[in-house]
């Protein structure tokens, strides 16, 4: 198996056989990239803006999850459908989001950290960012409107002072896959194993059949 690692100013990019895993962590937002038509798994992380972990890396940009699909089917239209329909039912999306939280709590327990609980404001912010990236075909911790993950948390009603970090990824089909990808990256792992974090929120969405994931962490 061919393994290729490229350092990009504190970032890591790995090629594993025919699959690609790009890793990014830090306060510097990633640049947009062309979306891989094969939906190769990619991850990205932003740490606590007030205390970035030493040696953290910023994951290389790619795509992430879109918002949960509406409960009802939209009315017929004569125009072409939107390019990023969600391919999972709302209940399934929520179940997958919650599975990520359960899995990262297992990792936190191993490291001696207390479990984080889901904060619905963070889930809302995560879903919105995932949806924006998927619908607009980009991947970055910076929204198209220039927002940071802290800005998006504040919009959702979460206190700015409590914001601790954000992990994003796309192309990972299951909760286990995305958590494994994050745990294999120093920046993402630092966010997950930040023992000062008390709450989290996972947002999953789709561009076609490609999952986009956003996980946020908070201290309050």
């Amino acid at each position: 198996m061919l393994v290729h690692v490229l350092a990009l100013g504190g970032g890591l990019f790995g090629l594993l056989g025919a699959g690609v895993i790009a890793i990014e962590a830090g306060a510097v937002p990633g640049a947009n990239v062309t979306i891989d038509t094969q939906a190769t798994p990619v991850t990205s992380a932003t740490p606590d803006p007030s205390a970035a972990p030493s040696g953290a890396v910023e994951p290389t940009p790619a795509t992430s999850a879109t918002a949960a699909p509406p409960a009802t089917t939209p009315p017929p239209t004569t125009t072409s459908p939107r390019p990023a329909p969600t391919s999972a039912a709302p209940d399934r999306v929520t179940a997958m989001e919650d599975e990520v939280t359960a899995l990262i709590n297992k990792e936190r327990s191993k490291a001696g950290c207390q479990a984080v609980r889901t904060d619905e404001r963070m889930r809302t912010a995560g879903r919105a960012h995932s949806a924006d990236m998927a619908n607009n075909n980009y991947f970055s911790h910076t929204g198209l409107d220039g927002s940071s993950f802290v800005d998006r948390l504040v919009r959702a009603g979460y206190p700015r002072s409590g914001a601790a970090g954000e992990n994003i990824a796309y192309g990972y089909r299951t909760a286990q896959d995305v958590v494994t990808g994050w745990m294999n990256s120093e920046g993402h792992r630092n966010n997950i194993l930040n023992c000062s974090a008390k709450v989290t929120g996972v947002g999953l969405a789709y561009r076609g059949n490609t999952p986009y994931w956003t996980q946020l962490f908070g201290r309050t």
Side-chain angles (χ1 to χ4, degrees):
M1 175 174 64
L2 177 64
V3 178
H4 177 67
V5 177
L6 174 65
L8 298 173
L12 297 178
F13 178 88
L15 175 60
L16 305 178
V20 176
I21 297 180
I23 303 300
E24 178 185 57
V28 179
N32 297 353
V33 299
T34 301
I35 302 304
D36 184 348
T37 57
Q38 298 303 313
T40 303
V42 183
T43 62
S44 178
T46 295
D48 185 339
S50 63
S54 175
V57 291
E58 182 75 348
T60 302
T63 58
S64 183
T66 61
T72 58
T73 303
T77 177
T78 56
T79 60
S80 298
R82 291 179 65 84
T86 303
S87 61
D91 287 348
R92 176 60 176 160
V93 166
T94 301
M96 292 174 72
E97 292 167 348
D98 291 344
E99 186 179 356
V100 168
T101 299
L103 289 168
I104 67 108
N105 274 334
K106 289 182 179 179
E107 298 296 340
R108 288 174 62 84
S109 178
K110 294 175 187 177
C113 299
Q114 292 186 343
V116 288
R117 67 183 187 279
T118 295
D119 186 302
E120 292 301 328
R121 296 169 295 182
M122 302 189 107
R123 192 200 299 267
T124 296
R127 284 180 172 179
H129 187 52
S130 292
D132 187 46
M133 290 189 291
N135 287 328
N136 292 290
N137 197 20
Y138 78 100
F139 179 82
S140 175
H141 291 290
T142 302
L144 290 183
D145 60 357
S147 63
S148 67
F149 80 92
V150 179
D151 296 328
R152 294 187 291 273
L153 282 172
V154 171
R155 289 176 190 168
Y158 188 81
R160 180 178 295 272
S161 61
E166 177 184 74
N167 287 347
I168 59 176
Y170 83 100
Y172 291 90
R173 302 295 179 182
T174 69
Q176 182 64 72
D177 287 345
V178 74
V179 170
T180 298
W182 282 335
M183 287 300 294
N184 286 335
S185 159
E186 181 182 5
H188 304 84
R189 185 170 60 252
N190 287 345
N191 280 342
I192 291 171
L193 302 183
N194 178 357
C195 289
S196 70
K198 297 180 179 178
V199 293
T200 190
V202 181
L204 168 62
Y206 289 82
R207 180 176 182 83
N209 292 321
T210 301
Y212 284 69
W213 303 86
T214 299
Q215 181 167 34
L216 294 150
F217 298 90
R219 293 184 294 268
T220 59

